[in-house]
Amino acid sequence: MEIKALRYHETGKPADVLQLDTLELGQPGPGEALVALRAAVLHPSDLGMIGGSYGRLRDLPAVAGREGVGEVLAVGEGVKRLSIGDRVRMPEESVLVDALCANADDFEKAPADLPVEQACMAFINPPTAYRILKDFVDLKPGDWIIQNAANSAVGQCAIGLAKELGLHSINLVRDVAKWEGPLKAMGADVVLADGEDFFKQFGALTGGAKPKLGLNSIGGDSVIKMIRCMAESGVVVTFGGMVGDKVRFPTRNLIFDDVSLRGFWMDRWGRNATAEQRGEMQHEIHELIRKGVFNMTIAGKYALADGKQAFEAAQAGSRDGKVIVTGDFTL
Ligand SMILES: NC(=O)c1ccc[n+]([C@@H]2O[C@H](COP(=O)([O-])OP(=O)(O)OC[C@H]3O[C@@H](n4cnc5c(N)ncnc54)[C@H](OP(=O)(O)O)[C@@H]3O)[C@@H](O)[C@H]2O)c1
């Protein structure tokens, strides 16, 4: 059987290096399952991997994509753990393919009752927001957090989870007119432009309270201003660098306010966690999606055959949310 896979044979710009390759797909052997892609999400880290700048790169040629879910279409002899129709996470190294056969035990099960677009993006961004809110500062209801890129998928999850935990959030975005309404509907308390003087404005809006936790995925001037806003002994966690600049630290806040800077990488957390810890967290994340606490916005959906256009849309600034790639392969 012939299938299509969106692959790159060298690193570079997605528009230059991505191609739709035709591959052969066999029948599932003993112990294997045949899984077809149903939905995948594109991330800034996909672009970093294809471009060769991410912290972990793949052997080439590589299938593009990192996160998605598929449907079990067939199982080989002896497979008990999976049944036809089950939803599973696509293996991280084989996401943007029509279908694949792999060991049934290696597929992570995913709940089939969640909307497929939310289910396909449950494994990276929601856990990142979850871990950063839980692991760095002992936050109590009523405490404040601050974040930049608040309209990103991680930012939207942090807003929802903060509200769920009784925390208040200050949310910095580039386009306030576009995002203030949607982010407040998700539970944001304050939405401000990530510009010159946000740190002068928010005190009046928080009754003078300062944030104990900062979430930085931008870098550059944005994080310097964020550090200046922090409460004494506050912690700023850097987990992304959208401006590609160094994170610099204003000395007075280090000395006089004891603000500290930490880093977070979901991959590292996953490698160090036990299977039980990963399973418990993922179960909780799925519950939070089911409750609507995590409900990330979507900018557009593209078929796998239009994967290159999907990557172009994912690279564009001022998106309305995540770009989804769908698959409709059947036997
Ligand atoms: N460390 C980890 O384990 C980990 C895990 C997941 C995600 N991340 C990182 O978290 C960040 C958010 O990821 P995501 O998937 O949630 O993002 P996303 O939904 O794709 O949104 C991207 C965000 O970045 C903003 N942005 C892009 N370029 C920018 C620039 N030059 N200056 C300022 N803002 C810019 C966008 O703002 P506009 O809407 O205004 O364009 C948008 O808010 C990324 O940096 C990603 O790499 C890290």
Side-chain angles (χ1 to χ4, degrees):
M1 223 172 339
E2 283 190 346
I3 55 146
K4 297 288 183 195
L6 192 68
R7 302 203 299 175
Y8 51 105
H9 295 245
E10 57 182 324
T11 55
K13 290 185 185 152
D16 297 336
V17 299
L18 286 181
Q19 60 187 65
L20 207 56
D21 288 338
T22 302
L23 305 177
E24 268 300 312
L25 178 73
Q27 298 295 326
E32 286 189 336
L34 189 158
V35 171
L37 173 71
R38 290 297 171 248
V41 60
L42 303 188
H43 293 307
S45 52
D46 287 310
L47 304 171
M49 259 187 198
I50 296 166
S53 64
Y54 195 62
R56 179 166 52 77
L57 299 178
R58 293 177 178 163
D59 293 338
L60 300 176
V63 175
R66 294 189 65 200
E67 189 179 22
V69 289
E71 180 186 345
V72 177
L73 296 188
V75 292
E77 197 190 316
V79 172
K80 299 253 178 326
R81 201 180 143 258
L82 294 179
S83 306
I84 290 171
D86 280 354
R87 182 180 283 173
V88 293
R89 182 179 182 178
M90 297 296 283
E92 205 181 315
E93 311 243 322
S94 304
V95 171
L96 292 177
V97 289
D98 273 329
L100 78 158
C101 285
N103 190 329
D105 290 339
D106 292 343
F107 286 102
E108 181 176 345
K109 281 192 186 180
D113 64 308
L114 300 178
V116 72
E117 296 85 1
Q118 296 295 321
C120 81
M121 46 182 167
F123 304 98
I124 298 178
N125 285 335
T128 297
Y130 181 96
R131 294 264 58 104
I132 295 175
L133 260 64
K134 299 251 178 185
D135 292 350
F136 290 87
V137 177
D138 184 17
L139 294 166
K140 302 273 190 297
D143 285 342
W144 285 81
I145 66 165
I146 184 167
Q147 61 171 340
N148 53 27
N151 60 306
S152 67
V154 176
Q156 294 179 10
C157 290
I159 289 170
L161 186 57
K163 180 156 170 66
E164 180 76 1
L165 298 173
L167 307 170
H168 299 298
S169 60
I170 301 159
N171 298 281
L172 308 169
V173 294
R174 292 200 283 192
D175 188 343
V176 178
K178 176 172 170 179
W179 286 104
E180 184 170 20
L183 298 189
K184 285 197 164 167
M186 292 176 195
D189 293 274
V190 174
V191 179
L192 293 172
D194 192 355
E196 265 315 294
D197 60 354
F198 70 76
F199 59 97
K200 293 181 193 150
Q201 295 171 33
F202 80 83
L205 299 163
T206 65
K210 290 181 163 192
K212 292 185 174 173
L213 174 71
L215 290 83
N216 165 47
S217 61
I218 301 289
D221 283 347
S222 175
V223 68
I224 292 181
K225 287 176 190 147
M226 180 185 286
I227 291 165
R228 290 199 176 122
C229 299
M230 299 303 293
E232 191 169 329
S233 301
V235 178
V236 172
V237 180
T238 291
F239 59 100
M242 296 305 291
V243 297
D245 194 7
K246 289 192 183 90
V247 172
R248 285 162 289 137
F249 207 112
T251 310
R252 18 181 333 109
N253 302 87
L254 184 64
I255 299 171
F256 300 124
D257 301 326
D258 185 35
V259 173
S260 55
L261 197 58
R262 299 280 307 274
F264 177 79
W265 192 23
M266 197 64 223
D267 284 41
R268 192 176 50 240
W269 185 89
R271 277 199 301 275
N272 293 334
T274 62
E276 197 182 2
Q277 285 168 325
R278 286 195 298 271
E280 269 173 26
M281 179 186 70
Q282 204 54 55
H283 176 74
E284 224 177 303
I285 300 275
H286 285 134
E287 280 303 311
L288 290 164
I289 292 176
R290 202 167 276 121
K291 278 173 80 174
V293 172
F294 294 151
N295 187 14
M296 296 157 275
T297 55
I298 292 166
K301 292 192 217 174
Y302 296 79
L304 180 63
D306 300 324
K308 267 179 117 156
Q309 284 106 298
F311 272 92
E312 270 167 42
Q315 275 181 294
S318 296
R319 276 182 277 110
D320 293 339
K322 294 308 267 182
V323 172
I324 303 287
V325 177
T326 58
D328 59 2
F329 179 85
T330 50
L331 286 176

